[in-house]
Amino acid sequence: MTQEACGFGTKAIHAGNEKDSRFGALSTPIYQTSTFTFDSCEQGGRRFAGAEKGYIYTRLGNPTAAVLENKVAALEGGETCLATASGMGAISSCLWTIAGAGKHIIADGTLYGCTFALLNHGLSRYGVEVDFIDTSDLDALRSHLKENTVAVYLETPANPTLKITDVAAVAELAHAYSPAIKVVCDNTFASPALQNPLKLGADVVVHSATKYLNGHGDVVAGFVVGKADFIQQVRMFGLKDMTGAVMDPFAAWLLLRGLKTLELRMSRHCENARKIAAFLNAHPAVEKVNYPGLESHRGHDIAARQMKDFGGMLSFEVRGGKEAGMALVNGLRLITVAVSLGDAESLIEHPASMTHSTYAEDELRAAGIAPGLIRLSAGLENAEDLIADLEQAMAQL
Ligand code: LCS
């Protein structure tokens, strides 16, 4: 049986692994080294010139990270993957490679706060023009494409509103305008277990591997996945020269360990989020629930088509706005108040003052992020306990 034909869970465990020819270690060895020795000056020269295969320096590549990169490429259905020091390292290495002064990026207005900051306050300082639109509105996308457009950037489901964008429709429209435009999709919220944007027509997938891919709240990491020639440019320019955001070999090893259970974990995250969303949706103190699995969600049909399941993230507003929302969060005993997501522990936060505090008030409004919105990452606990915790905090309101 070829590995291509194997299921996701099998690939997450086996794809990319290399037999340890020295000792037969089952677990991938951690090559905790900054540099690699050459037999001679000439050999070093050949490695730098690309005339001989082999490692040079960990910022350019590392054997532990390479196993992980091959595994993640297989899970996303991409040709190649580049491991990075963080999700922001992945996004910035990718965008520095694509964009330059005079180039134009169309980005969705609803993004993780630091991605929004990179585009809105960072790249724009260096002459990159950025338009923020709603990428789920294809007419808006059509009217913003122009000659110098080099990328369309989006998250689906988006952080923190869970807005869904039709990746295939966006890719078709952008590529019909110009095949050179890179459609970049942040797949952090779905993870490759639920959605493969490259198979839907996107050119590049970026990840904060800090979240579901690692899954244990103990690593900050990222990935860029796509065509081999593009990823090589990101490796040798975006990462090597521009950001230096290289993944540490130990982080790579922790990710290899975390990925083994990704499929199992995602099914529990989805089950818990589905139960919590149904509970919140029926609760009189709750005004609105954003969860793509609810039929009332605007993107439900598209999510049902492009995702295998609806994910472990949801957000909601309680009656009484921001004050009531914060009181609810403060009244929880089991669900932990923290940013980040995708961990075993359920985590809850207030986007407007935390993950999305890089947005000005009018930008929050334009992105559909209500002042009282609360974001919940459903963990791996028993759903009944999470619901009981929410229930007791609601009762205190
Ligand atoms: N993309 C998305 C969708 C994210 O949610 C995050 C981080 C990043 C990229 C950046 O990844 P990092 O550099 O942190 O690995 N999101 C966070 C959040 O919602 N809470 O804390 C971090």
Side-chain angles (χ1 to χ4, degrees), residues 5-51:
C6 288
F8 186 90
T10 307
K11 280 187 195 161
I13 295 165
H14 293 281
N17 293 359
E18 284 171 24
K19 195 173 162 64
D20 174 27
S21 56
R22 226 173 142 205
F23 300 115
L26 175 68
S27 166
T28 300
I30 308 172
Y31 288 93
Q32 192 73 35
T33 183
S34 56
T35 199
F36 297 83
T37 59
F38 306 132
D39 292 338
S40 64
C41 204
E42 289 77 9
Q43 185 187 44
R46 286 195 300 277
R47 295 234 177 129
F48 269 85

Side-chain angles (χ1 to χ4, degrees), residues 104-149:
H104 173 235
I105 296 177
I106 299 173
D108 198 285
T110 309
L111 297 170
Y112 167 57
C114 297
T115 308
F116 178 73
L118 168 71
L119 287 157
N120 200 26
H121 311 134
L123 291 174
S124 57
R125 276 174 55 174
Y126 302 91
V128 181
E129 192 192 340
V130 185
D131 274 326
F132 292 97
I133 66 157
D134 174 359
T135 54
S136 71
D137 176 352
L138 294 176
D139 289 333
L141 175 60
R142 196 176 290 114
S143 68
H144 282 83
L145 287 162
K146 48 187 191 178
E147 214 170 294
N148 59 341
T149 305

Side-chain angles (χ1 to χ4, degrees), residues 84-91 111-115 153-160 186-189 206-211 219-223 313 338-341 347 349 354-356 375:
T84 59
S86 65
M88 287 313 300
I91 295 162
L111 297 170
Y112 167 57
C114 297
T115 308
Y153 190 95
L154 63 100
E155 295 175 3
T156 181
N159 187 356
D186 184 327
N187 202 26
T188 300
F189 267 37
V206 290
H207 272 286
S208 168
T210 312
K211 315 291 158 41
V219 163
V220 175
F223 292 111
M313 295 300 298
V339 295
S340 204
L341 57 109
L347 303 178
E349 64 113 10
M354 299 176 188
T355 49
H356 292 71
R375 191 192 74 182

